[in-house]
Amino acid sequence: MSGVTRVAAVDCGTNSIRLLIADVEDGRLRDVVRRAEVVRLGHDVDRTGRLAPDALARTLDMTRQYAAACQEHGATAVRFVATSATRDASNTEQLTAGVRAALGVDPEVVSGAEEAALSFRGALSVLARPGQRDRPDAPYCVVDLGGGSTEVVVGTTRPDAAWSMDVGSVRLTERHLRTDPPTPEETAAATATVDAALDQALDHVPVAAVRTLVGLAGSVTTVTAHALGLARYDRTRIDGAVLSVDQVLAACDDLLHCTRAQRAALGFMHPGRADVVGAGALVWSQVVRRVAAASGVQQVVTSEHDILDGIVLSLA
């Protein structure tokens, strides 16, 4: 396998931690291991400004499991990227020490701008590959909707403009959507928070010329599974799925107004996402509405390729 590099990426977000070990050749990835676990590192960070001891313990335990997988599969380099929750916390040195002990590398607490660029690169590595048939039209608006932040990026072959909003599924749930299901007053307050963040984002990221809207990460893929009526989570059905704006908005509205028990009973629902995906659906619905209104796009593409793929490509 000359010319092939095997590397590993860890994306440590607010809600989940994810691992990708991949072989890279000529800018293309072949998955060796791709996994994700909900550890909720960002639990209560929005209120306290600190990573909680139990959240740190869950995250570092999973990091040790990821380290064993990297060793087992012979990854020659590892990059550990931490995002929104770690950016906001005042005690990140505890995470740094634990990751260094487990993986032998320091976690990189990336800025919102770098997070956006990595997500854009990961999505386009598959979505807009040169020579690809049925390649979506550029310019692209790529939206990475996480637990603590949401990145909005516009570009063609690379980001031309990007903005990171401090709204995400965990942050919005903890701040506003505390009732099960959320009350109209809570939903209105959460919507106002998202719209205010979008006002600022769209001042910095021009979306009027966008031809293709692409959504990434767990809230978006869960909404897509719901819109597709899947009985179980099927990555092959979700990746590259094209939905109308109306389909997306209907699925978002349904998930937002379900109880947590109703969400948990859905066959495609990750058990660690049922309590926060309503907020994620609210964020996604507002983003889709605003981008569609500004650009006229009528369809939305979902990608399973995101910041993880971008991190791997940055290593190779």
Side-chain angles (χ1 to χ4, degrees), residues 9-263:
V10 179
D11 166 36
C12 184
T14 300
N15 196 42
S16 61
I17 186 169
R18 301 182 303 145
L19 170 69
L20 173 59
I21 303 172
D23 291 331
V24 186
E25 184 176 19
D26 298 327
R28 297 195 178 195
L29 308 184
R30 183 183 67 81
D31 289 9
V32 177
V33 175
R34 189 184 288 260
R35 56 184 289 189
E37 280 78 23
V38 171
V39 293
R40 197 65 60 86
L41 177 63
H43 173 65
D44 226 15
V45 167
D46 188 60
R47 183 181 66 84
T48 67
R50 294 180 61 82
L51 301 172
D54 55 343
L56 271 167
R58 290 192 299 269
T59 302
L60 292 176
D61 177 65
M62 195 53 59
T63 300
R64 287 187 284 271
Q65 293 185 42
Y66 286 179
C70 291
Q71 184 174 14
E72 176 188 352
H73 292 281
T76 60
V78 182
R79 186 178 181 192
F80 187 110
V81 168
T83 55
S84 178
T86 315
R87 283 197 295 269
D88 294 349
S90 62
N91 59 333
T92 57
E93 70 284 348
Q94 297 176 49
L95 178 68
T96 300
V99 171
R100 186 189 301 121
L103 279 171
V105 300
D106 285 336
E108 300 174 47
V109 184
V110 298
S111 67
E114 186 171 359
E115 183 178 0
L118 288 167
S119 296
F120 188 87
R121 184 177 185 182
L124 264 64
S125 67
V126 172
L127 184 72
R129 183 176 291 158
Q132 177 180 320
R133 295 181 62 186
D134 302 322
R135 181 177 179 178
D137 292 334
Y140 310 102
C141 178
V142 175
V143 180
D144 184 356
L145 200 173
S149 66
T150 298
E151 282 64 48
V152 182
V153 197
V154 167
T156 301
T157 58
R158 58 175 56 89
D160 295 324
W163 190 257
S164 181
M165 306 184 293
D166 279 339
V167 292
S169 61
V170 174
R171 192 188 299 269
L172 207 64
T173 299
E174 292 181 350
R175 191 177 292 184
H176 294 297
L177 304 182
R178 301 187 183 95
T179 307
D180 182 25
T183 66
E185 294 77 16
E186 289 174 337
T187 300
T191 302
T193 294
V194 176
D195 281 340
L198 275 168
D199 287 343
Q200 191 174 26
L202 299 185
D203 280 343
H204 291 83
V205 182
V207 298
V210 163
R211 300 290 301 279
T212 301
L213 173 59
V214 186
L216 316 178
S219 289
V220 173
T221 59
T222 302
V223 167
T224 302
H226 193 46
L228 293 173
L230 299 185
R232 60 180 181 82
Y233 195 92
D234 185 344
R235 191 171 187 270
T236 61
R237 293 276 307 277
I238 293 167
D239 188 35
V242 180
L243 300 171
S244 70
V245 167
D246 286 345
Q247 283 178 294
V248 173
L249 296 181
C252 286
D253 187 68
D254 194 39
L255 285 173
L256 172 61
H257 292 102
C258 284
T259 66
R260 293 175 183 178
Q262 288 170 329
R263 294 180 203 139

